[in-house]
Amino acid sequence: MALWAGLGDYCECINIDDKRFDPQSIDPNYNIKSLSRLVSQQIDDITYLLKPIANKCIGLLTGNHEETIRLRYHRDVGYDIAKELNILDRYIGYDGWIRLIFTRNKHDTTMFTIYASHGFGGARRSGPKVNRLEDMAHSFDADIIILGHEHKKIIAPPVLKLGLNQAGDLVQKRQYAVMCGSYLKGYVQKATTYVEKKGYPPTDLGTVTISLKPMCREISLSM
C-alpha cells in the first residue's frame, strides 16, 4: 500500500503585483483572463491532480509560497486545497507530526512517528543540507524526519541512538532524515524562470520513497 504526504509549495502563488512576477514564466495553458485569478486557477489544477489519491494522504502541509498569499492577501491556500480534497482533518500547517499505527490484532501494534516540515534555508551545496537534516534529527524525537523546500532529494546518514526497551534490554535505534525532492522543472524552453536567473542547478524531479515493514520495524529509503 502506498501513502503520501504533501510538503507544500503546490502552487507558484505569484500574483501580478508581486515583484517576482514574470509573464514569460506563465504556463501557456493559462490565458490572459487567468491572470486575474492565478492562484485560484492553480488551486483548481493541483486539486484535479491530487483528487484520485486524496484518500491516501497522511498529512498536508503548507509551504512558503502559500504562506506569502496568506500573509499578503489573507487567503490560506493550503487550507483551500485540503478543503477541496476533503482532507481538512489532515491539514497540519507548516510543520507537524504524523503517527502511523499498524495493527495485526489488539495485542500486536507497531507505530512509526514522522516529523514533517516544509523546510527552510537555501544552501546550494549538499553539505549544509545534510548538516541541517542531522541537526534536526538531534532535536526531534521521530523515527523519520521529512523536509521539503530545497528542491533536492537527499537521504542523510541515519542517526544511531542507544536506549532501553520496556524489558530493560539495550537497544539501538536508527533515526532517518530526508529532503523529499521536487516536481518543479526549473529549465524549460521558450521561458525564462527564476531558476535560470539565479543559476540554480537542474532539479532531479521526483521524490524519496520510504518503505516500512511493521512486523520487523524496518525502515528503508530510496530515490
Side-chain angles (χ1 to χ4, degrees), residues 96-207:
W97 294 81
I98 300 167
R99 294 191 304 172
L100 296 178
I101 301 174
F102 298 85
T103 303
R104 297 187 69 194
N105 55 61
K106 63 181 181 179
H107 301 296
D108 188 0
T109 63
T110 302
M111 182 176 72
F112 295 93
T113 58
I114 300 170
Y115 172 73
S117 170
H118 173 69
F120 51 88
R124 297 199 178 201
R125 293 183 177 273
S126 297
K129 301 179 194 293
V130 173
N131 291 341
R132 189 178 311 132
L133 288 170
E134 291 186 343
D135 288 341
M136 295 191 73
H138 290 292
S139 299
F140 295 90
D141 187 17
D143 296 305
I144 308 164
I145 294 171
I146 308 173
L147 299 183
H149 185 68
E150 291 279 8
H151 297 220
K152 196 173 184 67
K153 291 186 286 186
I154 294 178
I155 300 174
V159 174
L160 302 181
K161 295 183 177 181
L162 289 175
L164 298 177
N165 61 18
Q166 290 184 342
D169 299 320
L170 183 67
V171 294
Q172 181 172 281
K173 176 182 177 181
R174 288 176 177 263
Q175 189 177 23
Y176 297 87
V178 304
M179 287 186 178
C180 62
S182 171
Y183 290 95
L184 176 65
K185 191 174 184 179
Y187 291 88
V188 295
Q189 291 181 315
K190 299 180 181 179
T192 301
T193 67
Y194 70 86
V195 174
E196 294 178 65
K197 294 176 182 178
K198 294 288 187 178
Y200 293 136
T203 303
D204 183 12
L205 300 180
T207 188

Side-chain angles (χ1 to χ4, degrees), residues 13 19 36 38 41 45 53 108 117 121 154 223:
C13 291
K19 65 180 181 180
S36 62
L38 277 175
Q41 185 68 50
D45 289 346
I53 57 171
D108 188 0
S117 170
I154 294 178
M223 294 192 291

